[in-house]
Amino acid sequence: SQERRREFEANLEKVGLELETEDKSDSKDQKTYFLKIHAPWDVLATYADVLKIKVPFKESDIPHSHDVPLEWLSQPFRLPEHIMRPQSDYFTYHFDKTKTDFFLINDKDTFFPPSTRNRIVFYILARCPYYKEGRRDKDKTGIKRLLSNGTYTAAFPVHDRARDAECESERYNLYKHWAKFLCFYKEQPLNLIRKYYGEKIGIYFAWLGFYTEMLFFAAVMGLICFTYGVLSYDDNISSKEICDANIGGNIVMCPLCDEKCPFWRLNTTCLSSWQSHLFDNEGTVFFAIFMGIWVTLFLEFWKRRQARLEYEWDLVDFEEEQQQLQIRPDLPSNMTKTCQQLCMCVCSPQISLIVACIIGVIAYRLAVYAAFASIIKDPMRKIQLVGRFITPQLATSVTASCINFVIIMILNFFYERVAIWITDLEIPKTHLEYENRLTMKMFLFQFVNYYSSCFYVAFFKGKFVGYPGNYSYMFGSSTRLRNEECDPGGCLIELTTQLVIVMAGKQLWGNIQEALLPLMRNWWSSRKGRHHPENHYSRWEQDHVLQNFSQLGLFYEYLEMVIQFGFITLFVASFPLAPLLALFNNILEIRVDAWKFTTQFRRPVASKARNIGAWQEILNAVAILSVVTNAFIMAFTSDMIPRMVYLYAYSEKASMKDYVNNSLIFEYEYIHYSLDDALLPLVLYRYRDYRYPSGHQNAYARTMQFWHILAAKMAFIIIMEHVVFVVKFFVAWMIPDIPSDVKARIKRERYLIQEYLHNYEVERLKLQLSASFITEPQSEMSLTSDKHEVLSECL
């Protein structure tokens, strides 16, 4: 390690960096050496030219548009101008070391901002070798390898001074105006975030803030839909019939399992039928259509917001080709196809493991469902009070959802490492390619892991039950585990339960992790110095005990929000309050993330990004899929279509009265008394389906009403999908991706830049010609010829 450090530091000095070592005797633990790296002007200028970093050359004379509708209403949410715009606007151009007089260099020490300086230094560190001169060993290059083999323990840019009002700094301003939770209603200082942390982190917080703003409208509409369900509570005739002791109390239902389950009365599902109405009503259809349009507006308006940020943050000309400058210096030299072929065979077992866990949870549901159903009391006797509030379906759904959530958390732990391992085996050449591949794999794993249980409840549960005498079994008739039945009020309330537990549990666990874990880890790291509060440690020592923000740290932040986006779009028809939960979570998420970045994490290395990368395509795919899933949920999971068919085609007085009786089929059976095995009178029992009864010539065949309902469901899916997709495409066509004023400003700025460059080259040429004429007089013909040649070359 000493040899590697000696060679590495010697090569850094050859590049031009200045090194300063703090002896371990000066550190608080008296064990740690700190090597401080300073980048002088020549090094910064050289690599700014290599990295094509844009720097100011003239103050911009293009005014900012402040035409905000009803601006006075937004005043309470705004921050001071010096925080929102911490620096003036300039025309910028790629730095050229040979044209330093073209740029506005007032002070070389502050010309490059700290984010640019640490980006340049990290670029050098990542590519500097640690072998002796004359040797060539590609595997001995870069700070990342030295960190992984223990040569150094950490490498990080230093934060500004501590959050102290007496020494105001960018970090203090971020802490005061951004990281405090009491600022939750304020706008984010995106320009200051970008200046301090770089464009990549700035884009993330811009996207998160915009997503949260758009969630407000979805949350309001979902709350209105839920309120409509509450207000129409008393008009729910079907629930009244189920709860009525003379109607639902006299309807005996078919046993829920084959052996130990007794008959049960319909009014035991009274509460769940009322709960279903809160989320399964006419307003839900409107809300599902609204969300299909909302997600389009969100994605289109984000493109416009992103285009404006690209212009304001000098990312318009930041092409993806520049990402090639970020070729991974720690890339293995022995790239083989064998590794890449191996990766293709790894995903299948991981997906199979998820499927196996899903099947295990389903088996649990079936077994517990039968166990809960078997404890229902004899319908001829009085049912216990608890049976009126906790049905077998509800009890099974709640416990299975909790178990499923625990399994999801455990699988996430393994799949995160598997996805990284697979991506490492593929050996992507650039950081951008590495992140995009990892993004797709992680989202694929998370998609199956988080949403599979919801897909099961929405589209499979209760659809393959069978009928008395011919029930369907999940693992064969020998297991005697009948497929689950939906509650008489439908499966939507169970989907709602599943969604609430998984979504709310994930958000709660995520916030606990994000807030408490860094705090506890930092406390543990700094515990040795807590007995000496009088000691004032240096900034680099204070930063050293903070948590490291890895290169993939932002990846996990995006992943968390995109998974949430899937919950509020794919299954929102079953739970209109999902956007409201997401809104509350994101308001907290922004401030928790801000607090982590400013107080709990080391300062990350600044990096550029002009957009949110592969996440944009994932969001587009989820948006399209959400239209399909919500249409199928409303058609096949909700009870809305059967109710509408009954109301308009089978009801005598255009009323929902007697709908419950219409949806249940009569069956009869002689039952045996449990003590002396004596036959009791004939018992009529019911089960929910649209079939002919056993005494009919077409016994157990589908009735015409079933086919009418199926046709109505298919028609609803086709109509809803076409309406939403037509509106989506029309909205996307109507809203340009780049605002017209931004296009005009980009064109004007490019013209002005070319004009200033032309004038600069002409003036520079004049000076060169004058100097040449003074030092080396030439003939008039020769001078004229050279002048024409140089002018032609310049133009």
Side-chain angles (χ1 to χ4, degrees), residues 333-480:
S333 58
N334 54 339
M335 297 176 62
T336 61
K337 293 184 179 180
T338 307
C339 292
Q340 299 181 3
Q341 293 171 353
L342 178 62
C343 299
M344 303 300 294
C345 305
V346 176
C347 290
S348 297
Q350 311 310 319
I351 300 297
S352 301
L353 179 58
I354 296 179
V355 174
C357 291
I358 296 170
I359 294 175
V361 173
I362 293 175
Y364 165 84
R365 296 178 69 104
L366 299 181
V368 172
Y369 179 73
F372 277 114
S374 65
I375 64 174
I376 296 179
K377 299 301 180 182
D378 193 307
M380 304 304 174
R381 303 176 184 177
K382 185 178 179 180
I383 300 176
Q384 289 184 346
L385 184 62
V386 70
R388 299 179 62 86
F389 298 98
I390 303 179
T391 62
Q393 292 90 343
L394 180 60
T396 303
S397 182
V398 170
T399 56
S401 299
C402 293
I403 292 175
N404 188 65
F405 174 72
V406 174
I407 292 175
I408 286 173
M409 293 296 104
I410 295 174
L411 290 179
N412 279 348
F413 178 80
F414 293 104
Y415 288 144
E416 173 186 325
R417 285 150 180 77
V418 170
I420 294 175
W421 177 64
I422 295 174
T423 308
D424 288 339
L425 287 179
E426 292 178 347
I427 318 178
K429 292 184 178 180
T430 66
H431 292 299
L432 178 65
E433 186 180 356
Y434 181 89
E435 289 185 9
N436 288 343
R437 292 190 182 188
L438 181 61
T439 296
M440 299 307 296
K441 292 179 182 63
M442 277 294 291
F443 182 76
L444 175 63
F445 288 144
Q446 300 274 24
F447 183 92
V448 178
N449 198 18
Y450 275 105
Y451 304 142
S452 55
S453 58
C454 293
F455 274 105
Y456 165 74
V457 175
F459 304 123
F460 296 97
K461 182 180 177 181
K463 307 300 186 294
F464 310 99
V465 177
Y467 53 87
N470 188 27
Y471 284 112
S472 300
Y473 299 88
M474 184 68 184
F475 305 104
S477 58
S478 59
T479 62
R480 313 306 294 172

Side-chain angles (χ1 to χ4, degrees), residues 186-407:
K186 295 281 189 179
E187 61 184 336
Q188 297 186 85
L190 294 177
N191 287 318
L192 188 57
I193 297 171
R194 172 242 182 171
K195 182 182 178 183
Y196 191 74
Y197 290 112
E199 287 79 2
K200 191 172 184 178
I201 292 177
I203 284 286
Y204 164 72
F205 281 104
W207 176 83
L208 180 57
F210 183 79
Y211 171 45
T212 304
E213 292 173 12
M214 291 294 292
L215 272 177
F216 174 78
F217 302 100
V220 169
M221 194 57 64
L223 188 60
I224 292 174
C225 178
F226 178 76
T227 304
Y228 171 80
V230 174
L231 295 178
S232 60
Y233 203 69
D234 294 332
D235 300 330
N236 187 6
I237 298 176
S238 301
S239 294
K240 288 182 177 179
E241 291 182 350
I242 291 175
C243 297
D244 193 329
N246 297 322
I247 301 176
N250 290 328
I251 296 178
V252 179
M253 300 296 292
C254 179
L256 298 176
C257 63
D258 287 348
E259 297 179 358
K260 298 182 180 180
C261 296
F263 297 96
W264 55 284
R265 295 186 187 274
L266 182 61
N267 63 349
T268 58
T269 62
C270 175
L271 183 62
S272 64
S273 67
W274 284 114
Q275 293 170 341
S276 295
H277 176 74
L278 296 177
F279 307 106
D280 189 6
N281 53 67
E282 293 78 7
T284 309
V285 182
F286 170 77
F287 183 65
I289 296 174
F290 169 82
M291 287 301 295
I293 300 171
W294 173 88
V295 74
T296 302
L297 291 173
F298 163 63
L299 294 175
E300 293 301 319
F301 282 135
W302 165 246
K303 291 178 184 177
R304 293 170 61 85
R305 179 77 174 106
Q306 189 171 254
R308 193 174 294 278
L309 287 175
E310 286 181 17
Y311 167 73
E312 293 177 354
W313 291 358
D314 284 330
L315 297 171
V316 175
D317 297 325
F318 181 72
E319 302 297 339
E320 299 303 330
E321 287 78 9
Q322 290 194 29
Q323 294 288 350
Q324 296 303 320
L325 292 171
Q326 299 183 20
I327 291 178
R328 297 166 63 202
D330 54 343
L331 198 67
S333 58
N334 54 339
M335 297 176 62
T336 61
K337 293 184 179 180
T338 307
C339 292
Q340 299 181 3
Q341 293 171 353
L342 178 62
C343 299
M344 303 300 294
C345 305
V346 176
C347 290
S348 297
Q350 311 310 319
I351 300 297
S352 301
L353 179 58
I354 296 179
V355 174
C357 291
I358 296 170
I359 294 175
V361 173
I362 293 175
Y364 165 84
R365 296 178 69 104
L366 299 181
V368 172
Y369 179 73
F372 277 114
S374 65
I375 64 174
I376 296 179
K377 299 301 180 182
D378 193 307
M380 304 304 174
R381 303 176 184 177
K382 185 178 179 180
I383 300 176
Q384 289 184 346
L385 184 62
V386 70
R388 299 179 62 86
F389 298 98
I390 303 179
T391 62
Q393 292 90 343
L394 180 60
T396 303
S397 182
V398 170
T399 56
S401 299
C402 293
I403 292 175
N404 188 65
F405 174 72
V406 174
I407 292 175

